[in-house]
Amino acid sequence: MFKILKKATAVILALSSLLLLCSCGQPKELAIDNHNWSFVYAQNRDGEVVCCNRDNETVYKSAQVVDFLCRAKGGIFIVSNKETEDTFAFQYLPNQENPDSFIYDIRYITENETLTGVAVVSKTDNENGGYTMVITIEGYSIYFNGSAK
């Protein structure tokens, strides 16, 4: 009985150490939850910017101007239109981590269908040291800028 308990304890300690090592390597600075996100623009599969934030309305003159509120918590990324109160909730799950980026699987579920895509979070190479997230789903790419919380 003592040998079984000792062996079980050793296995539990080994698994705990492995979990600790795996979690220490996660790029926490690239986690979606660890940022305040601002919508920048969305473009279709042809590269046309179809909507943008107010800061970019003079750059993308033919795009619809929208004011989105963005928040992420516990595997859900919510984008709300401040004017129309339309809300879009994306589920995200970690897929792949790299030193420079974190890739997530994205799902957008409606009553009629489930759309799948990816989100990539990366550090922006600029003087502000910000972050970028691009969600690509159903032929659209949606761009966000982020700052650490």
Side-chain angles (χ1 to χ4, degrees):
M1 176 74 165
F2 181 70
K3 281 186 175 183
I4 293 172
L5 186 57
K6 190 174 181 182
K7 192 178 257 187
T9 303
V11 169
I12 290 171
L13 285 174
L15 288 174
S16 298
S17 298
L18 183 61
L19 285 173
L20 183 63
L21 286 173
C22 289
S23 66
C24 287
Q26 276 191 334
K28 302 252 188 267
E29 77 169 320
L30 297 177
I32 289 177
D33 286 0
N34 292 344
H35 298 87
N36 296 311
W37 295 104
S38 310
F39 170 74
V40 180
Y41 63 86
Q43 64 186 140
N44 62 21
R45 70 184 72 221
D46 297 326
E48 177 189 4
V49 174
V50 293
C51 61
C52 66
N53 63 13
R54 295 201 185 284
D55 294 342
N56 287 304
E57 67 183 320
T58 58
V59 177
Y60 307 110
K61 293 180 172 57
S62 63
Q64 178 184 358
V65 177
V66 291
D67 194 8
F68 284 135
L69 174 65
C70 311
R71 60 189 183 281
K73 187 170 184 177
I76 304 290
F77 183 70
I78 298 172
V79 178
S80 303
N81 187 323
K82 291 181 184 177
E83 294 172 12
T84 65
E85 298 183 9
D86 290 335
T87 299
F88 310 95
F90 298 88
Q91 294 176 339
Y92 59 90
L93 293 168
N95 177 327
Q96 183 180 356
E97 57 183 270
N98 302 303
D100 299 326
S101 63
F102 205 125
I103 301 171
Y104 295 86
D105 290 325
I106 294 288
R107 291 183 354 165
Y108 176 70
I109 301 171
T110 67
E111 290 180 20
N112 303 322
E113 63 186 337
T114 299
L115 307 177
T116 59
V118 296
V120 178
V121 176
S122 59
K123 192 163 186 171
T124 306
D125 289 328
N126 65 24
E127 63 277 357
N128 299 329
Y131 299 86
T132 301
M133 177 170 56
V134 180
I135 295 176
T136 303
I137 192 165
E138 288 296 305
Y140 287 88
S141 296
I142 310 162
Y143 292 79
F144 300 88
N145 285 333
S147 59
K149 285 186 179 177

